[in-house]
Amino acid sequence: MHAPFPCIAGRILAAAAGVAIGWTQAARASEPVDAPDGWENVAQVQFLDARRAFEARLQADPADHDARIGLAVALLNVQPRQSANIERALALLEEVRSDGRGEQVIEATYLLARIHQLHRDPADPYKAVELFDELLAAHPDHPLAQMGFVEAAMLRLYVLDEASPAATFATLEQRAAHLSDPTARRDFHLTMAAAASRLRLGDAAALRHLRAADAVGLAKRNTAGNLYIRAATRARALGQVDLAEAYERRFLAEFPRDFRAYTIRQRLGAPATQPAEATP
Amino acid sequence: MKAATLLNLFGVVLTAGAFAASIVTVATRTAREAAPEQITIRMCHWQLEAGMRDAFDAVAKEYSRLHPNVRIEQIAVPGRVYGSYTRTRLAGRNVPDLVEVGDQTDELLTRHFLPLTRYVEQPNPYNAGTDLEGVPWRDTFIDGLGHAPGLESLQEYYAIPNSIVTVRVYYNKPLYRAIMGHDRPPETYEAFLDVCRRAQRHLGTDGRPIQPLAGSRFNANILLDALFRSQTQKLAREIDELGQLRTPAHPALAFLNERVSFDHPAIRDGLQLMREVGIMMPAGFLQLDREDAFYFAQQRALMIVTGSWDYRSIADQSPFEIGLFPIPLPSPDDPTYGRHVLGPVAEGGRGLGINFCVSNDSKHPEVAINFLRFLTSRRGHELFVGISKWLPVVLGVEPAEETLAFRPIPEGYTDGFHIAPIMWGSGEMYRVQSNHLHRLLTPDGSVETFVSLMRAELPAAVHADTLRLIKSYNENVRRSDSTLTALRRRDGDGKLSAGWETQNAQEADLYWLRRRLAQAGG
């Protein structure tokens, strides 16, 4: 004989669950529907929502190349990652390149190069560099083309092995003379400074590029703090004590509570509790 | 038979009663929320330590006194189920207004929580009348929110912290006096080891030997890890290729360097230190969980190493006077272990804890943010710290008298690196170390045995963990391609430039890591 408890309790449970689900659905239905711009979704890393928004825009206006670019960048990051999405993004950007004009073509070319560089599996760094070079040749003053030069520089330094690291480094320094966009110039110098240290191309080269990046101006506090210490370390290694101390004082003035301040104070021989003043 | 029927009936009545009670509770809550003037803000967290819920309650009560239409409810969830609790609630878009976050992905932050940047750049109105009046909320925290979750990669503030934690050795003062003849804590590693050895020879009131150190895997994760890291301080500096005085972000990056191997004296000495102190801990401690370490409160152990978060719980459970001192790591003068040491380690600037985010789905985000402002105002934080006895993070708020010993040590060098954490780690290096740790930390083990096992398995683990890192960097950089394209369309606040700076730095790291892995034979 079965006890009545499970059966009755089950019915009560089911009834309660039904009421709860009904309540929840009613509440959801009464909520306002959010209809954000596709680009805002991309900025907020909401790629699935962005994809829907751009698909809708393209359906409404098939000539909307901005939506085509938006859909492509959303597809690059919709999870789970699928090669079909990457290939579709590539095709969308090729459409913009062949049919669009001005800024849109520049952007599509840059993104195509990035797909070959990073998103496609396997990546094709040679194709990426070819597209970056093509973009720079066509639009030497455009910020995105100049940023493409920085991306290509990374590939040349770390991936392609076209020449010895020292020769590649020297060539890149020569070619970078044209960089006019501050962001691209800053990131080029930061890239070169890191490569000089990692590829053992000398403290002087690293310091030169760190100072150049500093002169352009850094966007992030953390980068600035790291740069001051890196420049001071390289300057000390080269015997440029005055320069090293200037960077160390700047660090202490701007980052007195950083966990590395104690070490810097030790280097400077500064009092332990009072940050030293920075030199102008 | 009759008894069985009655029992069944009783069960039915009990079930029906429970459902009736829950319906009344839900209906009451719904009615309360339906009242237009009444606002309920819910906050979920995993801080079940003694005093913490009381502290949140006290601040909430004070806030409600200022804002009678607002009620703050806390939902305290045990740490071991907190992850699944929040994941379920987030997926169902039924999340409390305020959510404590720990390690979280950028995607989770952006998908489920509000960016707080525009708020933290404004002064906290609850600081009016103090020296923090007019100061941006961000700059009222001891680290200027420089380590806020998501800040580095997303360029947005998503969380507001409420405490900082430090680690100390807790000791039973009366027992210590009985063993040592005084209650001055040891100041050197040698003196600490001497205390441990003398405790081993001391018999408790029940005639059983005293355990020098209480604890579990959880406590070993703090103590033994710190000891090992002390030995890699100089080595970390040697392999700091960019010269920025930072410890490698992941141990795989250290072990990828040709200078780091099990033949290096610093690694050997680190393991020797772990063994020397590990055998002072209770037999089988690696199998014990955090909650299993009662030896200290039962006066069967002289010391326990844990953090400021446990102070209230341990003080409440221990019927004796407790003393506190920093872990006496080997100093540069130590005759055996000093050669690899730079000096004391700075405890500040590593990021703050108890971080709360505001849910995207909050019906009253402005009220939730306003409560966070009050919670971290000078006044609210003093109240919170006074009751919780946790360390303050707001400038000008002093720790509670009895927790002054936990005040972060601001002056010191950067820490060394480890092979893997002893608890709460992930990845292959962690798995391999966990598999063999007992060969190092039990009396019948040895450094040599452990090294021979690790030497065979660690290279593959380093390779696997480096591949994981590469994958993670790759994901970040790929994601930035999309977000930067969006930012190009609306920039004006410098985010685009900062975004490029982040992406390019990460991308250079990515290519360098791939190159290093290939050079290492990967």
Side-chain angles (χ1 to χ4, degrees), chain B residues 13 15 17 106 112 116-117 134 160 168 208 231 237 239 274 282 314 364 397 433 439 451 461 466 490:
Chain B
V13 170
T15 309
D106 290 349
H112 297 291
L116 301 175
T117 307
I160 300 298
R168 296 290 179 267
R208 286 191 291 186
Q231 297 303 290
R237 189 69 63 82
I239 62 170
M274 285 175 74
I314 290 181
H364 307 284
V397 176
Q433 180 183 270
R439 307 301 290 268
V451 164
T466 306
R490 66 162 204 197

Side-chain angles (χ1 to χ4, degrees), chain A residues 252 261-262 264-266 268-276, chain B residues 411:
Chain A
L252 289 181
Y262 177 80
I264 298 299
R265 279 196 286 272
Q266 297 289 308
L268 274 172
T273 50
Q274 288 290 318
Chain B
E411 298 290 309

Side-chain angles (χ1 to χ4, degrees), chain A residues 1 3-5 8-9 12-13 16 23 28 31 39-40 42-49 66 69 73-74 76-77 79 81 107 110-111 114 117-120 144 147 150-151 154-155 157-159 161 165 183 186-187 190-191 193-194 197-200 217-220 222-223 226 229-230 233-234 257 259-260 262-267 272-273, chain B residues 1 8 11-12 15-16 19 26-27 30 92-94 106-107 110-111 115 139 141-144 146-147 152 154-156 158 237 240-246 258-259 344 346 348-349 360 363 395 410-414 474-475 477-479 481-483 485-490 494 497-498 500-504 507-512 514-515:
Chain A
M1 186 177 165
F5 171 68
I8 294 172
I12 295 170
L13 265 171
W23 248 341
R28 282 266 174 271
E31 285 173 7
W39 286 113
E40 190 57 32
V42 175
Q44 292 299 319
V45 203
Q46 295 162 354
F47 299 114
L48 204 57
D49 296 339
D66 183 68
I69 292 171
V73 299
L76 292 179
N77 281 290
Q79 296 297 322
R81 282 178 61 79
E107 193 165 43
Y110 174 85
L111 287 168
R114 294 293 284 169
Q117 184 178 6
L118 280 163
H119 296 267
R120 243 182 166 187
L144 211 47
M147 191 54 81
V150 179
E151 315 295 358
M154 285 190 222
L155 290 175
L157 285 163
Y158 294 117
V159 181
D161 283 330
T183 305
R186 176 203 65 203
D187 286 0
L190 288 173
T191 299
S197 298
R198 287 165 164 162
L199 302 173
R200 296 176 187 163
L218 301 164
K220 293 172 57 191
N222 281 356
T223 312
N226 288 336
I229 291 180
R230 287 165 63 186
T233 305
R234 300 300 164 213
R257 288 195 292 269
F259 63 96
R260 296 164 293 181
Y262 177 80
T263 307
I264 298 299
R265 279 196 286 272
Q266 297 289 308
R267 282 183 177 177
T273 50
Chain B
M1 191 70 178
N8 282 335
V12 171
T15 309
F19 272 112
V26 170
T30 308
R93 302 193 68 176
N94 183 25
D106 290 349
E107 189 179 0
T110 53
R111 176 161 281 274
D139 294 330
F141 293 92
I142 56 174
D143 73 341
H147 302 82
E152 179 69 15
L154 299 169
Q155 311 298 323
E156 296 269 18
Y158 278 93
R237 189 69 63 82
D240 173 20
E241 57 205 9
L242 293 182
Q244 38 190 38
L245 303 180
R246 284 183 180 275
E258 66 274 10
R259 270 181 277 188
N360 262 340
K363 290 195 178 91
L395 289 172
E411 298 290 309
Y413 293 94
T414 45
N474 214 350
E475 285 300 313
V477 173
R478 282 169 171 169
R479 195 165 46 236
D481 269 346
S482 300
T483 53
T485 308
L487 283 177
R488 278 202 291 276
R489 281 156 174 75
R490 66 162 204 197
S497 179
W500 283 121
E501 201 171 287
T502 302
Q503 189 193 40
N504 285 323
E507 198 165 337
D509 288 348
L510 167 69
Y511 294 131
W512 173 236
R514 276 188 189 155
R515 190 181 172 100

Side-chain angles (χ1 to χ4, degrees), chain B residues 63-134:
Chain B
Y63 184 80
S64 294
R65 200 178 61 75
L66 296 172
H67 305 275
N69 63 324
V70 181
R71 182 185 143 88
I72 311 289
E73 276 183 15
Q74 48 172 323
I75 306 165
V77 182
R80 59 179 73 176
V81 296
Y82 189 79
S84 49
Y85 167 83
T86 47
R87 273 195 301 277
T88 310
R89 302 295 292 256
L90 288 167
R93 302 193 68 176
N94 183 25
V95 69
D97 304 83
L98 296 168
V99 181
E100 184 181 5
V101 296
D103 287 335
Q104 66 294 302
T105 62
D106 290 349
E107 189 179 0
L108 184 124
L109 284 177
T110 53
R111 176 161 281 274
H112 297 291
F113 301 111
L114 290 174
L116 301 175
T117 307
R118 70 188 171 98
Y119 299 96
V120 301
E121 285 168 355
Q122 298 299 316
N124 181 344
Y126 292 104
N127 281 327
T130 74
D131 58 315
L132 297 178
E133 180 172 349

Side-chain angles (χ1 to χ4, degrees), chain B residues 445-467:
Chain B
S446 73
V447 171
E448 281 310 318
T449 310
F450 178 75
V451 164
S452 68
L453 292 163
M454 292 295 282
R455 214 193 279 277
E457 294 183 36
L458 198 70
V462 170
H463 184 266
D465 283 357
T466 306
L467 282 179

Side-chain angles (χ1 to χ4, degrees), chain B residues 153-426:
Chain B
S153 47
L154 299 169
Q155 311 298 323
E156 296 269 18
Y157 294 89
Y158 278 93
I160 300 298
N162 284 272
S163 190
I164 182 171
V165 294
T166 61
V167 165
R168 296 290 179 267
V169 183
Y170 292 58
Y171 69 107
N172 179 331
K173 268 195 172 180
L175 184 57
Y176 191 96
R177 266 193 297 269
I179 295 169
M180 302 299 295
H182 61 81
D183 62 11
R184 291 187 308 279
E187 290 181 356
T188 65
Y189 173 71
E190 275 190 320
F192 173 67
L193 212 55
D194 180 53
V195 172
C196 290
R197 287 177 180 142
R198 289 170 72 166
Q200 274 184 318
R201 296 195 293 269
H202 189 86
L203 296 181
T205 48
D206 57 359
R208 286 191 291 186
I210 291 293
Q211 192 72 46
L213 287 159
S216 60
R217 197 177 192 97
F218 174 82
N219 308 90
N221 189 40
I222 300 166
L223 173 61
L224 305 186
D225 193 75
L227 289 167
F228 184 90
R229 283 171 181 269
S230 74
Q231 297 303 290
T232 54
Q233 263 189 312
K234 280 187 180 170
L235 187 53
R237 189 69 63 82
E238 283 173 33
I239 62 170
D240 173 20
E241 57 205 9
L242 293 182
Q244 38 190 38
L245 303 180
R246 284 183 180 275
T247 306
H250 189 283
L253 303 179
F255 279 84
L256 210 52
N257 191 296
E258 66 274 10
R259 270 181 277 188
V260 180
S261 77
F262 283 105
D263 295 321
H264 197 289
I267 302 292
R268 291 292 185 126
D269 285 355
L271 295 173
Q272 184 59 40
L273 263 177
M274 285 175 74
R275 175 169 171 75
E276 219 163 67
V277 177
I279 56 178
M280 300 290 176
M281 295 186 72
F285 72 91
L286 285 173
Q287 312 308 321
L288 298 177
D289 203 355
R290 182 179 174 186
E291 291 79 11
D292 294 335
F294 292 123
Y295 274 36
F296 182 73
Q298 291 170 348
Q299 309 199 53
R300 291 169 59 194
L302 177 63
M303 299 176 279
I304 187 166
V305 179
T306 186
S308 46
W309 58 86
D310 272 333
Y311 180 77
R312 274 288 299 267
S313 304
I314 290 181
D316 286 353
Q317 291 167 25
S318 305
F320 48 82
E321 188 185 359
I322 293 172
L324 298 162
F325 60 91
I327 298 174
L329 298 172
S331 71
D333 304 329
D334 187 286
T336 312
Y337 298 109
R339 59 186 170 149
H340 311 300
V341 177
L342 286 172
V345 176
E347 289 181 318
R350 283 179 183 165
L352 308 179
I354 317 186
N355 285 288
F356 279 103
C357 292
V358 180
S359 165
N360 262 340
D361 293 321
S362 170
K363 290 195 178 91
H364 307 284
E366 293 291 334
V367 180
I369 292 165
N370 202 43
F371 173 67
L372 285 180
R373 285 194 188 115
F374 182 72
L375 183 61
T376 56
S377 65
R378 175 73 60 74
R379 180 174 153 208
H381 202 55
E382 276 171 352
L383 186 58
F384 177 77
V385 167
I387 295 172
S388 68
K389 311 295 183 197
W390 280 47
L391 292 171
V393 291
V394 173
L395 289 172
V397 176
E398 290 298 313
E401 181 71 25
E402 56 268 55
T403 53
L404 281 173
F406 288 109
R407 196 198 290 256
I409 298 167
E411 298 290 309
Y413 293 94
T414 45
D415 212 349
F417 58 87
H418 58 191
I419 302 171
I422 294 173
M423 190 176 179
W424 290 335
S426 63

